[in-house]
Amino acid sequence: MIHNDLVFLLGAFGHLHCVELSTGKIVWKKNLYDEYGLETKPTWGACSSPLIVENKLIVNPGAKEASLVALDPKTGKTLWKTPGEAAGYGSLIAGKFGGRLQIVGHDAISLGGWDVKTGKRLWKVIPEFTGDFNVPTPLAVNGNLLVTTENNGTRLYAFDTNGIIQPKPIAINEDLNPDMSSPILIGDSIYCVWNEMFCLDSKQELKTKCDMPPLTETRA
């Protein structure tokens, strides 16, 4: 993550470094697992990318009392921390949903939204089927939220005017079930890989677009 003249580097074992972009000189560093008392390390380590929003550096140690943490980008000082579950393996995003700026992403067992200023959890969605590793990063799509995982397929969620998610998806595609790949949006098309390349129509209830070969459900 590059922010102004600083670069933020997070390693698999929880080592977080802030370095100067021009020189590589270390400005500050800390180990998230040691700093916030994580007792059980994630099987595949820290996989998320640091996130900058409203001049806060957001990371997810996944500790009981520090599931998400906001740091001062220049000093590494803790601005807030919020209790919760262990970390997932995808990255967090920030965006306006229901007109409310929030941090959105997965922990180990659920999808959630958090207040940027305080870290307070705003909402939680636990999927129908358990066992997702929560690797793919969610995607903002025209004010809605696209989520895709290996056991629960691809879902599009809407929000109310208070920025709270509506727990029942407004669209579902049960064929796209990636365990690692994160979707991207180009125009009205959502692209993602799950054994083969998928192209879904974001405005047609996530139906497969068959007019753009080879980016369809058919193997090239």
Side-chain angles (χ1 to χ4, degrees), residues 88-108:
Y89 294 103
S91 293
L92 302 167
I93 65 171
K96 276 193 173 182
F97 298 95
R100 186 173 190 171
L101 178 64
Q102 54 189 284
I103 301 160
V104 173
H106 285 104
D107 57 28

Side-chain angles (χ1 to χ4, degrees), residues 38-208:
L38 185 68
E39 297 180 359
T40 302
K41 308 298 189 296
T43 302
W44 292 288
C47 296
S48 63
S49 298
L51 173 69
I52 293 283
V53 54
E54 288 197 337
N55 202 36
K56 295 178 178 66
L57 176 65
I58 309 299
V59 290
N60 56 337
K64 184 177 181 180
E65 298 301 323
S67 182
L68 265 65
V69 173
L71 305 174
D72 184 322
K74 294 183 178 180
T75 65
K77 177 184 177 181
T78 301
L79 301 176
W80 54 251
K81 59 182 180 179
T82 189
E85 303 294 337
Y89 294 103
S91 293
L92 302 167
I93 65 171
K96 276 193 173 182
F97 298 95
R100 186 173 190 171
L101 178 64
Q102 54 189 284
I103 301 160
V104 173
H106 285 104
D107 57 28
I109 63 172
S110 66
L111 177 70
W114 291 264
D115 182 73
V116 174
K117 295 185 183 300
T118 66
K120 178 183 177 181
R121 188 152 189 173
L122 303 173
W123 52 266
K124 175 188 290 187
V125 173
I126 297 178
E128 180 180 2
F129 302 107
T130 61
D132 284 330
F133 289 115
N134 293 330
V135 177
T137 297
L139 177 68
V141 179
N142 301 322
N144 299 318
L145 185 70
L146 185 90
V147 180
T148 184
T149 52
E150 66 268 35
N151 294 315
N152 287 276
T154 299
R155 293 142 281 152
L156 188 66
Y157 292 96
F159 290 75
D160 67 21
T161 55
N162 294 315
I164 306 302
I165 200 168
Q166 298 175 5
K168 183 178 180 180
I170 59 175
I172 297 174
N173 185 295
E174 297 179 346
D175 297 320
L176 178 57
N177 300 275
D179 54 0
M180 294 183 66
S181 299
S182 295
I184 62 170
L185 179 69
I186 302 176
D188 294 330
S189 301
I190 299 164
Y191 297 95
C192 194
V193 175
W194 169 235
N195 296 323
E196 53 203 4
M197 180 70 81
F198 282 73
C199 176
L200 307 183
D201 193 325
S202 66
K203 293 190 174 181
Q204 295 294 324
E205 297 184 346
L206 304 184
K207 293 180 180 179
T208 302

Side-chain angles (χ1 to χ4, degrees), residues 191-192 196-200 208-220:
Y191 297 95
C192 194
E196 53 203 4
M197 180 70 81
F198 282 73
C199 176
L200 307 183
T208 302
K209 297 185 73 170
C210 298
D211 59 339
M212 300 180 66
L215 300 178
T216 68
E217 293 187 24
T218 305
R219 287 185 175 86

